[in-house]
């Protein structure tokens, strides 16, 4: 079955750019049946939707993060990525990637999460 | 932005009880609501989408409904393994906002 795995630095300095990659196995990011999403969860808090990308490269971002977020897809390497620029301590969170069904918009497969701390 | 107000923030119930969690949208969003379960230290899990469609493999004691802009997740008979935080999410338009979460515990 499809599995997702986040990877990237666990520590990022303030004002720098957070970069995470989600590797997809057992399925294809080129499928027209799914969007590929990023969600985050600050320590002890709730879930925050970041955005998603379709295999065509079409994206949809949270307006509150839009000026700092870029989600991209690499179909040849079966992965998609998140970049968040000018990070602050408020961006410290567990970052999840997830698969979202095109028809239902339900996020049915999630990665295990990647903890990112913003600190100097 | 459309807000999703989830209530209660926490609840404690006995095994076998019927549990109801509500989520109210600040504007009409049709049926574009999903519900997720997040057990302590675990990854969120999709329970319901389109307000009332049960995700494959989810126990039938979970159900969802909609009345206008009010959405409800019901656990018909609470089980010990249902201890978790539950989130609603709207997805009609960006941002796909989550509710604040409801923490469910066993009394």
């Amino acid at each position: 079955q499809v599995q997702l795995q986040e990877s990237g630095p666990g520590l990022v300095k303030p004002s720098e750019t957070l970069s995470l990659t989600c590797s997809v196995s057992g399925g294809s990011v080129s499928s027209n049946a799914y969007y590929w999403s990023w969600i985050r969860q600050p320590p002890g808090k709730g879930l925050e939707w970041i955005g998603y990308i379709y295999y065509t490269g079409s994206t949809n971002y949270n307006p509150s993060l839009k000026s700092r977020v870029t989600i991209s897809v690499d179909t040849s390497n079966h992965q998609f990525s998140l970049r968040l620029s000018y990070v602050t301590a408020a961006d410290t969170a567990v970052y999840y990637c997830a698969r979202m069904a095109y028809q239902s918009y339900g996020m049915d497969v999630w990665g295990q999460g990647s903890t990112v701390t913003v600190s100097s | 932005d459309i807000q999703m107000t989830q209530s209660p923030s926490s609840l404690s119930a006995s095994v076998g009880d019927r549990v109801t969690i509500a989520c109210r949208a600040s504007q009409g969003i049709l049926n574009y609501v999903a519900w997720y379960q997040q057990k302590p230290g675990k990854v969120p899990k999709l329970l319901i989408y389109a307000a009332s469609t049960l995700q494959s493999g989810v126990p039938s004691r979970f159900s969802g409904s909609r009345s206008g802009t009010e959405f409800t997740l019901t656990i018909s008979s609470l089980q010990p393994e249902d201890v978790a935080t539950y989130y609603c999410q709207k997805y009609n338009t960006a941002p796909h906002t989550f509710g604040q979460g409801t923490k469910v515990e066993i009394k």
Side-chain angles (χ1 to χ4, degrees):
Chain A
Q1 71 275 21
V2 175
Q3 292 186 315
L4 307 182
Q5 179 65 59
E6 305 90 348
S7 59
L11 181 65
V12 182
K13 290 183 168 56
S15 80
E16 294 190 345
T17 297
L18 177 161
S19 295
L20 294 172
T21 295
C22 184
S23 299
V24 180
S25 59
S28 173
V29 292
S30 299
S31 169
N32 63 0
Y34 300 103
Y35 296 99
W36 304 96
S37 304
W38 288 97
I39 304 96
R40 69 181 183 179
Q41 186 169 34
K45 295 189 177 180
L47 302 168
E48 180 180 24
W49 177 77
I50 298 172
Y52 63 74
I53 191 166
Y54 197 45
Y55 78 102
T56 58
S58 173
T59 55
N60 200 353
Y61 298 141
N62 190 325
S64 70
L65 299 171
K66 191 172 184 176
S67 63
R68 299 193 292 131
V69 169
T70 303
I71 298 175
S72 58
V73 64
D74 181 352
T75 54
S76 58
N77 286 308
H78 312 292
Q79 60 188 25
F80 61 106
S81 299
L82 169 70
R83 287 173 58 86
L84 182 65
S85 61
Y86 302 107
V87 297
T88 69
D91 295 310
T92 293
V94 176
Y95 286 76
Y96 295 102
C97 59
R99 184 184 80 169
M100 181 171 70
Y102 183 84
Q103 297 270 5
S104 72
Y105 282 77
M107 293 185 285
D108 62 346
V109 179
W110 293 62
Q112 286 303 301
S114 180
T115 299
V116 179
T117 301
V118 179
S119 175
S120 55
Chain B
D1 290 352
I2 298 172
Q3 303 303 314
M4 298 296 284
T5 303
Q6 190 171 340
S7 62
S9 57
S10 65
L11 66 89
S12 182
S14 299
V15 172
D17 281 354
R18 183 180 184 89
V19 168
T20 299
I21 298 167
C23 215
R24 176 168 294 170
S26 57
Q27 298 176 37
I29 55 173
L30 301 178
N31 281 348
Y32 297 116
V33 165
W35 289 93
Y36 294 87
Q37 175 194 61
Q38 186 177 31
K39 295 184 177 181
K42 301 296 186 182
V43 175
K45 174 186 175 182
L46 175 65
L47 297 177
I48 286 167
Y49 61 89
S52 60
T53 303
L54 200 65
Q55 172 70 2
S56 175
V58 173
S60 59
R61 64 180 180 273
F62 291 93
S63 64
S65 63
R66 169 205 169 195
S67 176
T69 59
E70 179 116 352
F71 299 84
T72 302
L73 173 70
T74 299
I75 308 173
S76 60
S77 177
L78 187 67
Q79 300 301 303
E81 60 266 32
D82 300 334
V83 168
T85 299
Y86 294 83
Y87 296 92
C88 62
Q89 185 202 26
K90 68 96 170 168
Y91 53 83
N92 61 317
T93 58
H96 293 192
T97 307
F98 288 92
Q100 301 93 325
T102 296
K103 187 174 184 179
V104 173
E105 297 176 323
I106 300 290
K107 194 180 293 183

